[in-house]
Amino acid sequence: MTTGPRIGVLALQGDVAEHLRHLEVAGAEAVPVRRRAELDAVDGLVLPGGESTAMSRLLGVYELDGPLAARIADGMPVYGSCAGMILLASDVLDTRADARWFSAIDMTVRRNAFGRQVDSFETDLVVEAFGPDPLRTVFIRAPWVESVGGDVEVLATVTASDGDDHVVAVRQGNALATSFHPEITDDVRVHRYFVDMVCRSRALLATS
Ligand code: GLN
């Protein structure tokens, strides 16, 4: 019997249970990660939606920030939704002076970018990487990606109330990030895509 990859969800704060459930449906063995030993035992990690500044502080309290930075540098597949996207950026605008992030993706992210009058909204987006059918995307005090480096693949954009298109889903190598929250819809395609990224990375490790 083949088992799915073991994928962790950083479980310090935020919508942890929702990601665990979607990962299981998508074929992974999903486990919460709060300790160094738990982080060491996963093939990939989801950084959930929630509050990036709180998560950043708790990563320090739980002494996970150094080990997480090391695993990301080592190529562990990571997926960040919303607050998790902020944690994966190489630069963050409009955050707290003491916040930290992990530079998994060469991108500048603006926190709470969609503005106060539309703190939360939903829309259908066709995101080719996740399949031809429109994806229900939910944005909650979401960031957008202000700029990306040359190695970053833009997967989706959305037109905001300022009339401009803004990048809301990206991938660079083994790192995936979305401004929206697929974990709070019934659609598991984004999680399937990530499980597939982790499987491929495991297969490469097995042959190297
Ligand atoms: N605004 C939050 C932050 O800065 C992100 C919101 C979310 O994850 N839904 O972390």
Side-chain angles (χ1 to χ4, degrees), residues 78-115:
V78 281
Y79 165 43
S81 68
C82 203
M85 168 188 258
I86 295 169
L87 291 173
L88 295 181
S90 54
D91 200 9
V92 182
L93 306 175
D94 296 342
T95 192
R96 287 170 53 119
D98 61 351
R100 66 158 303 177
W101 49 83
F102 291 89
S103 301
I105 299 178
D106 182 11
M107 63 177 171
T108 298
V109 163
R110 185 176 294 280
R111 201 168 150 249
N112 300 332
F114 286 93

Side-chain angles (χ1 to χ4, degrees), residues 48-53 81-84 86 111-112 140-143 181:
E51 174 51 51
S52 58
T53 56
S81 68
C82 203
I86 295 169
R111 201 168 150 249
N112 300 332
I140 305 169
R141 291 181 63 74
H181 293 267

